[in-house]
Amino acid sequence: MRIAHFKGHGGDMTIRENLEQWETEYLSPYATLNRNSKGRDREEEQCDIRPVFQRDRDRILHSKSFRRLKDKTQVFLSPEGDHYRTRLTHTLEVSQNARTIARALQLNEELVEAIALGHDLGHTPFGHAGERALNDVCPYGFKHNEQSVRTVEILEKDGEGLNLTWEVRDGMRNHQTSNMPSTLEGKIVRFSDKIAYTYHDMDDAVRAGILRERDIPREIGEVIGYTPRERLNNFIHDIVTQSKGTDDVRMSDAVELAMRDLRKFMYDKVYSNSVAKCEENKAVSLIKTLYEYYTKHTDELPKFFVELGLRGEPREKVVCDYISSMTDRFAIALYNELYVPKFWIG
């Protein structure tokens, strides 16, 4: 294989080595450097062009589980209109927010991008409704962040996995509120996820006629703004201002409190809204029915999932693997195939 070299400070260096050297000279002393990665579960020969976090980002971007995100619900089930967010567009917005913050703080932009692109790979069809359904019925429980890591470690590439670095998997596993990533880049994604869904879920709710911008309580609006643009701008600027030059990624107390209050407002007005969630009980019932069916008929699972069971993976986890990998449309089509007479569908 031809090796790409570059004339660097120490003579001939591969492009990757030159990029790693650039990191040590330009990035913050608190950044996670490619050359300091804790590595992969299986050792691999280094690429001569791409550092390890860039390779991880590329592997996630080219994975099947990433492509399936385009047909998975964010908040609104089967909305009428082309401009509502899906799990894929949410992921891309998280990635862009995270990259903006990482660049401003001189942290590792490729690491935050890899974590952001992978953080929801294990999400179920029908959004958090599907997640709650599997968590209710599976004796091992079900959390989408843990499933995202399981996806890249076990399920991708026909059981081979993507063999991602420790830092990327740590950020994926710990992006939720109850957890804390080990790197500053992971903490950026953790905030960026909240910023993204707070921003776009309200935008979608306004588009759906459930909310109006002027419905935001004044005590929240005065701190973080009354429009989507103002809120996004204030969130990102606050994180950058509070975190610059420190060994932490944080918000000011006032902005973080306003974000929590806004999320509570969204929960009361949108996430539990009867209009927004009118189809959710049907989705929950569908997921639980599929789970019950395949735990009783594991021999009807696709060959790969049957083989997972033969390797010793618990039956219930394997069924969750299969169901969580489905898109909304596939889950509905499969349910119809199993339970609805064909002449009813037309």
Side-chain angles (χ1 to χ4, degrees):
M1 183 181 75
R2 183 177 179 181
I3 304 296
H5 284 83
F6 184 88
K7 289 289 185 180
H9 299 300
D12 279 354
M13 301 172 67
T14 65
I15 293 174
R16 171 185 56 78
E17 290 169 337
N18 184 69
L19 290 171
E20 291 173 346
Q21 179 63 31
W22 173 87
E23 285 184 345
T24 66
E25 297 172 357
Y26 175 76
L27 292 185
S28 162
Y30 306 115
T32 306
L33 304 182
N34 277 277
R35 62 170 54 169
N36 293 336
S37 170
K38 293 183 179 181
R40 310 179 187 279
D41 285 348
R42 301 188 303 277
E43 288 189 16
E44 297 179 6
E45 182 180 353
Q46 288 271 34
C47 177
D48 60 315
I49 294 178
R50 295 170 300 162
V52 290
F53 300 141
Q54 185 179 346
R55 293 182 80 185
D56 284 0
R57 178 203 64 193
D58 295 349
R59 291 176 184 187
I60 291 168
L61 190 64
H62 292 291
S63 68
K64 292 179 180 179
S65 51
F66 183 80
R67 293 195 293 274
R68 289 194 296 266
L69 295 176
K70 68 184 176 67
D71 287 320
K72 293 194 177 190
T73 291
Q74 175 60 26
V75 171
F76 292 88
L77 297 175
S78 302
E80 295 181 4
D82 295 332
H83 301 116
Y84 292 88
R85 270 69 171 194
T86 65
R87 190 60 57 179
L88 177 61
T89 57
H90 161 74
T91 294
L92 296 176
E93 290 183 36
V94 173
S95 176
Q96 186 56 54
N97 292 341
R99 289 179 58 197
T100 297
I101 296 168
R103 184 173 296 184
L105 296 178
Q106 292 177 273
L107 296 175
N108 197 312
E109 195 172 336
E110 290 170 350
L111 176 54
V112 298
E113 188 173 20
I115 296 170
L117 293 179
H119 82 284
D120 271 354
L121 291 181
H123 230 302
T124 58
F126 313 120
H128 288 287
E131 181 177 21
R132 288 194 300 272
L134 287 183
N135 190 55
D136 286 344
V137 294
C138 180
Y140 296 95
F142 184 91
K143 295 182 179 179
H144 79 271
N145 56 318
E146 295 289 348
Q147 188 66 22
S148 294
V149 176
R150 183 172 167 86
T151 298
V152 299
E153 289 183 342
I154 297 176
L155 305 182
E156 272 290 338
K157 297 183 70 175
D158 297 323
E160 183 180 332
L162 300 182
N163 199 28
L164 303 182
T165 56
W166 182 90
E167 291 79 7
V168 172
R169 287 176 288 145
D170 171 79
M172 291 167 58
R173 178 179 286 111
N174 297 303
H175 74 269
Q176 291 189 289
T177 302
S178 58
N179 307 310
M180 187 60 67
S182 300
T183 65
L184 297 188
E185 288 81 4
K187 291 181 180 180
I188 288 175
V189 175
R190 184 173 176 270
F191 270 122
S192 297
D193 183 37
K194 296 176 177 62
I195 291 170
Y197 70 67
T198 301
Y199 166 82
H200 60 54
D201 290 355
M202 176 163 286
D203 188 45
D204 283 352
V206 170
R207 180 171 291 107
I210 293 170
L211 279 181
R212 299 166 299 177
E213 287 293 347
R214 62 179 179 269
D215 292 335
I216 296 175
R218 183 175 179 180
E219 61 270 20
I220 297 175
E222 286 181 347
V223 177
I224 57 176
Y226 289 95
T227 68
R229 181 177 179 180
E230 288 177 349
R231 289 190 293 274
L232 186 60
N233 186 63
N234 286 331
F235 283 142
I236 290 176
H237 274 80
D238 186 72
I239 291 174
V240 171
T241 301
Q242 295 294 315
S243 308
K244 189 72 173 176
T246 73
D247 188 13
D248 197 11
V249 175
R250 57 182 179 242
M251 283 181 168
S252 65
D253 291 342
V255 171
E256 190 161 15
L257 176 61
M259 172 182 268
R260 287 201 299 266
D261 289 343
L262 181 59
R263 288 170 61 199
K264 183 178 184 303
F265 171 79
M266 290 291 291
Y267 182 85
D268 294 339
K269 301 297 183 181
V270 178
Y271 303 140
S272 57
N273 181 277
S274 59
V275 176
K277 298 299 182 180
C278 60
E279 300 289 277
E280 198 165 274
N281 288 337
K282 297 177 186 177
V284 168
S285 178
L286 184 152
I287 292 293
K288 289 183 176 181
T289 301
L290 290 178
Y291 176 87
E292 181 180 357
Y293 181 86
Y294 281 107
T295 52
K296 294 178 179 177
H297 303 87
T298 51
D299 58 309
E300 296 183 27
L301 289 167
K303 180 181 177 182
F304 168 70
F305 295 99
V306 172
E307 291 173 350
L308 268 183
L310 294 175
R311 288 189 211 169
E313 293 288 337
R315 174 188 58 180
E316 296 87 353
K317 280 194 174 184
V318 171
V319 173
C320 284
D321 290 336
Y322 182 43
I323 293 175
S324 65
S325 72
M326 298 177 185
T327 63
D328 293 18
R329 288 188 297 179
F330 184 87
I332 293 169
L334 184 58
Y335 179 89
N336 286 338
E337 179 182 326
L338 292 173
Y339 289 102
V340 180
K342 288 182 173 56
F343 73 91
W344 285 9
I345 301 173

